[in-house]
Amino acid sequence: MKPRNLCTWLPGAAIACCALWIIFAYSTGAPYADEWGTPGAFLTKMVEEGVTFQDWIAQHNESRKLIPRLLFSAAAFTVGWDPRMFMILSWVLAAGTLVFFSSLCLPACGTAPGKYAGRALMITVTAAILFSPMQSVNQIWGIQFICYVPPFCLALSLWFAALTGPFSRAILIAALCSFIATFTFANGLLLWALAFPWKRFFQCDGATPSDRPRQVLLPALIYAVMAGAAICLYFVGYVKPPYHPPLTYALGHLAQSFEYFLLWVGTPLSGGLPSALVPGAGVVVLIGLVAFSMSTIARYTGRRDVYQIPDAACAAAAFAAYGLASGLITTAGRAGLGAEQAMASRYVTFSEYILLGILSLAWVRLACKKEAAPRRCAASIAISIASVMLVIAIGAGWVISLKPLRDRHAHMRQNLLTLRMTSLIPANPMCKLLYLAPPSITTHSARVLRAHNILHFDDFKWLMDAIKNPAGDNGGWFSVTAPSTTNLAITGWAMNPQTGRPADFVVIARISTNNIPEIITALLTGAARPDVAKYLKNPLLGRTGFIMNLGSQGDESGIKAFAVDERTHRAYSLKPEG
């Protein structure tokens, strides 16, 4: 690759590296929420009693996650199950989508004014959309790699379709990608229509009339049979999740459904916008989609141009259709859950493709040779300004997303501590934060998977001795309130007196009459306590606080708290207030 061409990729690569930094900075090795269903419950059943084919293709919400289960199982029984591996996989898939999609669209900048600047700007905008911070929850959630598989498969199949070679090869790649997408995430079913090499099919792929049935129609027929078989396998025994609204709800509440759809479409542009303006952003996106789609269709429906549609236009149309169809399907199945849910971070991974398709269609339209030079120059300037403004708006989203990322990171660190305590605390009240299922199910899976060396967490075998023989009583203060036996609340602050820094975590225990501790839970510090930092004249102690409602744990009698230094295996008693 020439240095000049390589430089066009540098801004996009920088954006991708920022997303990778987020994964390394804010991720933990603790499974979260749905991960305890897939793969947690699946792996637990596999090691305890074995699984059948029905278990491999069993529903998880609306999806049949055969491919993810294969990947999770392969990782679990080789290197172990660490969600961070699949966060990296999410990044790799998004980066692959960037490379294949941009490769298809780069020729659209070939005749545009400022060829290399246009290519750099197009790649930068594509990277900014694909790695948008609005979807940061997906980026630091292992199971959500499934959201990045269908777009990657779509980009890969379109890229292969654009290469010279036999039509049968393009069909084979499209079928393989569509099957993988179908059995990874529910909207992967769309790829059977979108990944098909339509352009080559209608161009006859160079086949003579006598050879067309064998070279074109037969592979297309085989593809249709494979699509039908995969779709039938997907829907045989399919049951709509009972906790999701019925499909008729969207039809009976059209105004609410339309608002939901506009929020869903406009969320990629919502960085920093008040929620009341997001539907307006959705309207702008839809108007742009209609305008550029009609312009492109009008350009390439002439008799001479019908077989000259650029691959960039096909890719842009496929991705825009994928995003739009995903939005309509999501609206039909989720509108009853409330309009605010449409702005969830995990949905941006799909709605962003509408925006990506619009901008790509704009670049394709700009490259049209039939336009007069002044008009092309004006359009180039307008599209470039819009692209730069979009990159700036998405860049502002990086700043806005930092607080939610920090909050999620703190929550996941607490979950990791809870999991590491499973051998010491069989009934840890903090297990309720791991998953919606009863805590006993989650802790059982954690113990089984740790016993089979699938989950790898450090143990705290030294902790009981440390709290039996604390190294001092100057670790901080705590208070306990128990207005009833079903509501035990504890607050306080904890530090490491040897280093003058916040304690690694706090252990809450009940000391029996014969001085035997029973650990109730372990909490991370991190709550703001500026009063502590001011009183002790140490700014490092500004976030030493902890607060938690532990639920039904009896009264406050015998409750003790300890600040723990994990490096030295020491514990320091906290003094009770009052």
Side-chain angles (χ1 to χ4, degrees):
M1 183 181 288
K2 296 180 180 179
R4 201 170 182 180
N5 287 329
L6 180 62
C7 290
T8 62
W9 289 89
L10 292 181
I15 293 173
C17 289
C18 289
L20 187 61
W21 171 80
I22 281 182
I23 294 175
F24 283 111
Y26 293 100
S27 64
T28 70
Y32 175 69
D34 286 6
E35 289 177 310
W36 288 108
T38 301
F42 177 79
L43 293 175
T44 303
K45 184 176 182 180
M46 179 181 287
V47 298
E48 285 190 320
E49 55 188 273
V51 293
T52 65
F53 178 72
Q54 290 300 321
D55 293 314
W56 285 100
I57 64 169
Q59 275 184 246
H60 181 119
N61 292 332
E62 291 93 346
S63 301
R64 293 193 184 275
K65 294 181 170 56
L66 170 63
I67 303 301
R69 289 185 177 110
L70 289 171
L71 294 177
F72 281 126
S73 300
F77 294 104
T78 52
V79 296
W81 173 29
D82 189 333
R84 289 171 292 191
M85 291 190 300
F86 297 94
M87 299 174 201
I88 299 297
L89 178 59
S90 297
W91 184 87
V92 170
L93 292 169
T97 304
L98 170 65
V99 171
F100 290 120
F101 184 84
S102 298
S103 298
L104 287 167
C105 294
L106 282 181
C109 302
T111 59
K115 173 181 175 180
Y116 289 101
R119 289 184 174 185
L121 183 57
M122 192 206 70
I123 293 173
T124 302
V125 174
T126 302
I129 293 173
L130 292 177
F131 294 101
S132 167
M134 297 300 297
Q135 55 175 325
S136 57
V137 167
N138 284 348
Q139 294 167 343
I140 58 170
W141 190 358
I143 184 64
Q144 291 303 91
F145 85 89
I146 60 177
C147 301
Y148 298 91
V149 171
F152 172 80
C153 290
L154 179 58
L156 180 63
S157 59
L158 294 174
W159 185 77
F160 267 102
L163 298 177
T164 56
F167 182 72
S168 56
R169 184 187 68 179
I171 284 288
L172 176 62
I173 297 298
L176 178 61
C177 289
S178 298
F179 181 86
I180 292 173
T182 296
F183 289 96
T184 296
F185 198 71
N187 64 6
L189 287 162
L190 296 170
L191 264 67
W192 290 105
L194 299 176
F196 184 81
W198 293 104
K199 177 183 172 182
R200 295 182 62 176
F201 177 78
F202 286 113
Q203 288 180 340
C204 303
D205 207 51
T208 63
S210 60
D211 290 337
R212 179 172 169 78
R214 177 175 57 84
Q215 295 185 11
V216 178
L217 296 182
L218 180 59
L221 178 61
I222 295 174
Y223 182 90
V225 172
M226 295 173 66
I231 293 171
C232 287
L233 178 62
Y234 188 94
F235 283 105
V236 168
Y238 179 88
V239 178
K240 180 173 175 57
Y243 43 85
H244 290 167
L247 296 178
T248 54
Y249 183 92
L251 296 176
H253 301 78
L254 292 179
Q256 180 180 340
S257 299
F258 186 61
E259 179 189 9
Y260 186 99
F261 181 68
L262 289 180
L263 286 168
W264 193 91
V265 171
T267 298
L269 294 176
S270 65
L273 286 178
S275 57
L277 298 181
V278 178
V283 171
V284 171
V285 171
L286 292 178
I287 291 175
L289 178 62
V290 172
F292 284 109
S293 297
M294 293 181 65
S295 176
T296 305
I297 291 172
R299 166 63 182 84
Y300 292 106
T301 53
R303 295 179 63 184
R304 295 180 181 178
D305 298 322
V306 67
Y307 298 134
Q308 299 176 9
I309 302 175
D311 295 321
C314 296
F319 271 82
Y322 172 76
L324 190 65
S326 297
L328 292 172
I329 294 170
T330 305
T331 300
R334 297 286 198 277
L337 298 177
E340 295 77 10
Q341 198 233 19
M343 299 178 65
S345 176
R346 62 184 181 275
Y347 289 147
V348 178
T349 305
F350 305 113
S351 56
E352 66 187 12
Y353 296 112
I354 302 177
L355 194 59
L356 184 61
I358 293 172
L359 290 172
S360 302
L361 287 173
W363 283 105
V364 170
R365 192 68 184 91
L366 180 63
C368 176
K369 295 182 179 181
K370 285 189 174 182
E371 298 290 351
R375 292 182 60 184
R376 289 179 63 207
C377 185
S380 176
I381 294 173
I383 293 173
S384 298
I385 292 174
S387 299
V388 171
M389 291 177 62
L390 177 64
V391 172
I392 293 174
I394 293 177
W398 288 94
V399 178
I400 296 170
S401 66
L402 286 180
K403 185 181 184 305
L405 280 171
R406 292 191 188 103
D407 293 342
R408 169 60 72 91
H409 183 55
H411 181 76
M412 296 306 298
R413 287 178 59 235
Q414 177 62 60
N415 283 357
L416 181 60
L417 178 62
T418 300
L419 289 171
R420 294 176 64 190
M421 289 285 179
T422 50
S423 60
L424 291 177
I425 317 174
N428 192 338
M430 300 303 292
C431 287
K432 63 186 178 183
L433 301 179
L434 296 175
Y435 192 34
L436 295 176
S440 58
I441 296 177
T442 308
T443 54
H444 173 72
S445 290
R447 293 192 195 97
V448 170
L449 297 179
R450 288 184 71 181
H452 287 81
N453 206 32
I454 293 174
L455 276 177
H456 302 155
F457 297 130
D458 294 335
D459 232 322
F460 287 109
K461 297 177 180 179
W462 51 268
L463 187 58
M464 290 296 289
D465 290 335
I467 63 176
K468 287 180 181 178
N469 304 286
D473 61 354
N474 53 345
W477 296 77
F478 77 103
S479 65
V480 180
T481 58
S484 68
T485 57
T486 60
N487 186 20
L488 181 67
I490 185 165
T491 61
W493 61 272
M495 70 172 184
N496 183 338
Q498 300 300 316
T499 62
R501 294 177 176 272
D504 291 329
F505 58 90
V506 178
V507 169
I508 311 299
R510 188 185 300 276
I511 308 300
S512 64
T513 54
N514 53 0
N515 204 34
I516 298 177
E518 176 192 354
I519 300 179
I520 298 175
T521 192
L523 306 173
L524 289 176
T525 58
R529 289 299 300 261
D531 56 322
V532 175
K534 182 178 179 180
Y535 178 76
L536 295 177
K537 297 180 175 59
N538 184 351
L540 298 176
L541 300 179
R543 303 197 69 86
T544 53
F546 59 91
I547 179 171
M548 184 56 61
N549 189 327
L550 301 178
S552 179
Q553 298 294 332
D555 58 29
E556 63 267 39
S557 60
I559 296 293
K560 299 291 183 180
F562 303 87
V564 177
D565 180 2
E566 190 172 352
R567 185 180 63 85
T568 62
H569 293 184
R570 291 180 178 178
Y572 302 89
S573 298
L574 272 60
K575 297 177 181 178
E577 293 183 355

